[in-house]
Amino acid sequence: SERLHNIPTWNAAALWSAGSEFGEEQWKRAAKTYLDRIVEVQKKDGYWFEHTGPTTLYNLVYTHALGLHLFDEGEVDVSGALDRAGAFHSRFVYPDGTLVSIVDGRVLYEGNKLTVIGLPGLLQAGAGLGYCRALAGSGKPFGPPSGNGANFVPQVYRFLCEQPEVEVPDAKGAVPLDDGAAVHSCGDFTVVLSGILGTDDNRWGYDRLQHIEVHHRKTGVVLGGGLSIGKEMAFIDSGGEYLARKASLENDKRLLKLEYPRGKAAVSLA
């Protein structure tokens, strides 16, 4: 069966590059077929669905691969996908350049370093400049080199010098994800409300047990920090009573309503 995933996307980009270098048209055709499908299945909000929804970290792997394909002057038109991914990442990044983790179905919050993954794609996407601006202005160290990403770090800082006026989008209000999450800027705080639901038995997927995350510009995340991969005993013993069954964002996405097997809950921003 067809397996569309982040690492095979990276492999396909590398296969096209190798086929171009060595004159192997069959390699290039196989890579093109896969990359065409990756562009096709991307969600309109700019992410690729894994497990129970978006993943802000692994989405960068797709973005990185498509960016390298564009640098290689590949056959697949990836510009639209990169623009959509750039918009997604410019929305779901904190002012210090760290990734919003509450919407990530695979990775917990890491506030002490930035990732270089994704830069080849985001530096070529107009909508990704807000994300690059957050990275360049954070003052945090970048994480270990990965997939040529470190080669693009100087371009991030050159971008900061050339386009200092670019900001992370919509600093005054909500930046929504149509599938059920919104980022709100509240002074030095950033509040993320997530109505994304789901549970995953796969070892790599998280249960979506948390629905609010609060980040402070200087301190980092002070509430939240990601989802759960541990399948807590309370959750197992209860038959899932701590897992929301329904969720909705209302009132300009400032009100999050949740329905659980034993009751209802709501979070509202003043």
Side-chain angles (χ1 to χ4, degrees), residues 51-107:
H51 300 280
T52 58
T55 163
T56 47
L57 178 61
Y58 283 95
N59 209 69
L60 291 170
V61 178
Y62 295 93
T63 305
H64 194 115
L66 296 187
L68 292 179
H69 188 68
L70 185 57
F71 269 114
D72 285 340
E73 299 181 348
E75 295 179 68
V76 179
D77 183 3
V78 300
S79 56
L82 288 177
D83 276 338
R84 289 187 291 272
F88 171 80
H89 285 290
S90 290
R91 292 174 179 130
F92 288 90
V93 62
Y94 288 121
D96 63 357
T98 54
L99 302 174
V100 172
S101 58
I102 195 68
V103 300
D104 194 318
R106 291 193 58 185
V107 179

Side-chain angles (χ1 to χ4, degrees), residues 1-117:
S1 62
E2 183 180 41
R3 183 174 187 265
L4 299 174
H5 197 58
N6 60 80
I7 295 302
T9 303
W10 200 304
N11 294 342
L15 181 62
W16 195 94
S17 181
S20 179
E21 182 71 22
F22 296 111
E24 293 286 350
E25 294 301 318
Q26 185 176 358
W27 296 2
K28 291 171 67 177
R29 286 195 298 272
K32 182 180 184 303
T33 297
Y34 194 91
L35 293 175
D36 276 334
R37 284 289 293 134
I38 289 298
V39 171
E40 180 182 341
V41 302
Q42 184 194 43
K43 298 294 185 181
K44 61 183 176 62
D45 277 322
Y47 71 89
W48 285 270
F49 193 98
E50 289 201 8
H51 300 280
T52 58
T55 163
T56 47
L57 178 61
Y58 283 95
N59 209 69
L60 291 170
V61 178
Y62 295 93
T63 305
H64 194 115
L66 296 187
L68 292 179
H69 188 68
L70 185 57
F71 269 114
D72 285 340
E73 299 181 348
E75 295 179 68
V76 179
D77 183 3
V78 300
S79 56
L82 288 177
D83 276 338
R84 289 187 291 272
F88 171 80
H89 285 290
S90 290
R91 292 174 179 130
F92 288 90
V93 62
Y94 288 121
D96 63 357
T98 54
L99 302 174
V100 172
S101 58
I102 195 68
V103 300
D104 194 318
R106 291 193 58 185
V107 179
L108 299 178
Y109 171 76
E110 292 189 358
N112 59 344
K113 62 183 179 181
L114 308 178
T115 179
V116 298
I117 301 173

Side-chain angles (χ1 to χ4, degrees), residues 137-190:
S138 71
K140 290 178 177 287
F142 283 87
S146 179
N148 294 343
N151 297 336
F152 294 90
V153 171
Q155 294 190 41
V156 173
Y157 289 100
R158 184 162 61 249
F159 155 78
L160 173 62
C161 295
E162 293 174 352
Q163 303 189 61
E165 75 283 358
V166 175
E167 299 289 344
V168 176
D170 202 349
K172 295 181 180 179
V175 180
L177 177 70
D178 286 348
D179 285 350
V183 179
H184 295 270
S185 178
C186 307
D188 286 338
F189 290 92
T190 302

